[in-house]
């Protein structure tokens, strides 16, 4: 883990999304170092994850991109700098 990396909290994730869906949604938002999904058990996410970006600037750009995404046409993800 680099000293200059930056982590975003991504919340309000639909519970039916698995790790691969979550990764595919955030992957277009910038250079990602790691995605840590919080899981109930092996199959169900807890509705949030942490996405580590290469730099604080990448994280800020991703925050702008991800906060505009609409899920199922209406709901938005909750994005915060961690």
């Amino acid at each position: 883990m680099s000293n200059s990396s930056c982590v975003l909290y991504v919340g309000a994730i639909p519970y039916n999304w698995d790790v691969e869906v979550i990764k595919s949604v955030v992957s277009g938002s910038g250079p990602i170092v790691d995605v840590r999904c919080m899981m109930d058990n092996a199959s169900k996410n807890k509705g949030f994850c942490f996405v580590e970006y290469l730099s604080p600037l990448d994280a800020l750009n991703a925050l702008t991109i991800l906060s505009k995404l609409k899920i199922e046409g209406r709901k938005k993800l909750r994005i915060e700098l961690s």
Side-chain angles (χ1 to χ4, degrees):
M1 182 149 114
S2 161
N3 288 339
S4 64
S5 68
C6 191
V7 175
L8 284 185
Y9 165 89
V10 180
I13 295 171
Y15 294 115
N16 61 335
W17 286 13
D18 65 17
V19 174
E20 294 310 310
V21 171
I22 294 168
K23 285 183 179 179
S24 71
V25 168
V26 299
S27 68
S29 61
I32 293 171
V33 176
D34 191 23
V35 178
R36 294 182 290 282
C37 298
M38 303 302 120
M39 307 298 277
D40 251 350
N41 53 42
S43 62
K44 187 177 173 196
N45 81 68
K46 288 186 171 186
F48 68 98
C49 71
F50 296 95
V51 183
E52 183 180 351
Y53 290 88
L54 209 51
S55 74
L57 183 60
D58 294 328
L60 281 174
N61 289 337
L63 191 148
T64 303
I65 293 166
L66 293 173
S67 63
K68 292 178 184 173
L69 282 181
K70 287 190 178 180
I71 310 302
E72 294 152 6
R74 50 185 173 71
K75 183 176 147 187
K76 289 187 176 186
L77 295 171
R78 187 169 144 220
I79 314 295
E80 297 173 11
L81 279 171
S82 186

